[in-house]
Amino acid sequence: MACYRQRLNYYLDKQRQPKCEYIAAAEPQGRGAWHLHLLLLFPDKAPFIPNTEMARLWGQGFTKTKSLKGVDNPGLYLTAYLGDMELTEAVTAGQFQAAHIQEKAAGKTVVKGARLRLYPSGFNLYRCSRGVKRPQVKQMTEGEARQVIKDAPLVYEKTIAVLNGEGETVNIINYRQYNRARVEEETAPAVASGKTEA
């Protein structure tokens, strides 16, 4: 990753573009290879970098570069495939458990959590450059949170049941994401995404 970052920074300097920060998430494949999902965060609008140039700079296999324009939650986008596997890949990798099958959009059938078993113990799912700002965590009641979000539209919701060893529900977590930027028309930092395979 360090060599890629050096080559990318050199390329950006030559193009008179600002340097960027990054967030990377590694994804093991059932066949033994790894994918690396990479978000490039620029201080302003992300420059257009052709996919052929990204592949040359990466130097470790093919790349697929996408814009995240219109993506409300880049973090969710980045981590979407880090836990679940498509059924065909899970069967091939020996990670098939019928109880965890779930139908997803676009007709894909996935096995919930199957990919997590492919990560080595203690593996960091993501890494980032030093300049990436960490989110602020604030403790508040739901009423206080509703005052903060005001009229922002709900863009994502997920409910998770926490089970004990006997399979009994001991807690329920309801995760909701609202997008105040849609209401306030704030400009967020530009984001570019690349998916590479080594």
Side-chain angles (χ1 to χ4, degrees):
M1 183 72 179
C3 292
Y4 165 72
R5 186 122 192 258
Q6 284 180 328
R7 289 190 298 269
L8 177 62
N9 285 337
Y10 180 75
Y11 172 83
L12 292 170
D13 283 344
K14 280 181 62 176
Q15 300 295 317
R16 293 190 169 92
Q17 297 291 338
K19 287 185 171 56
C20 61
E21 300 296 334
Y22 73 89
I23 302 172
E27 174 193 347
Q29 302 297 294
R31 57 188 166 80
W34 286 80
H35 280 299
L36 183 69
H37 298 264
L38 179 67
L39 289 177
L40 300 178
L41 303 141
F42 289 85
D44 294 310
K45 185 179 179 197
F48 174 74
I49 304 173
N51 189 59
T52 53
E53 191 62 31
M54 289 299 281
R56 184 189 69 76
L57 294 168
W58 174 244
Q60 302 292 320
F62 79 91
T63 64
K64 183 176 181 183
T65 306
K66 293 181 183 179
S67 168
L68 292 183
K69 186 176 183 174
V71 174
D72 286 319
N73 186 340
L76 183 63
Y77 173 83
L78 182 67
T79 59
Y81 299 103
L82 299 184
D84 303 341
M85 291 176 87
E86 285 190 40
L87 179 60
T88 54
E89 184 183 4
V91 169
T92 304
Q95 301 297 320
F96 174 72
Q97 291 184 343
H100 297 114
I101 291 177
Q102 178 179 345
E103 191 74 28
K104 285 230 174 169
K108 292 183 180 179
T109 302
V110 297
V111 179
K112 301 294 290 175
R115 191 172 311 282
L116 296 174
R117 295 179 190 92
L118 299 178
Y119 287 97
S121 179
F123 186 84
N124 288 329
L125 296 178
Y126 80 96
R127 50 211 30 85
C128 63
S129 54
R130 290 186 186 130
V132 172
K133 292 181 184 174
R134 305 292 177 157
Q136 280 187 335
V137 177
K138 296 180 181 179
Q139 298 289 330
M140 63 181 72
T141 66
E142 183 168 353
E144 291 168 334
R146 288 193 182 277
Q147 288 294 322
V148 171
I149 60 172
K150 298 180 182 160
D151 295 330
L154 177 68
V155 294
Y156 178 77
E157 185 172 18
K158 180 178 184 177
T159 301
I160 301 168
V162 180
L163 308 177
N164 64 14
E166 289 80 46
E168 300 165 334
T169 301
V170 294
N171 199 0
I172 295 176
I173 300 169
N174 184 251
Y175 172 81
R176 285 174 264 169
Q177 181 194 342
Y178 297 84
N179 189 339
R180 283 193 316 187
R182 286 188 183 176
V183 174
E184 299 169 3
E185 296 184 8
E186 297 174 343
T187 55
V191 179
S193 168
K195 180 177 177 180
T196 62
E197 182 177 308

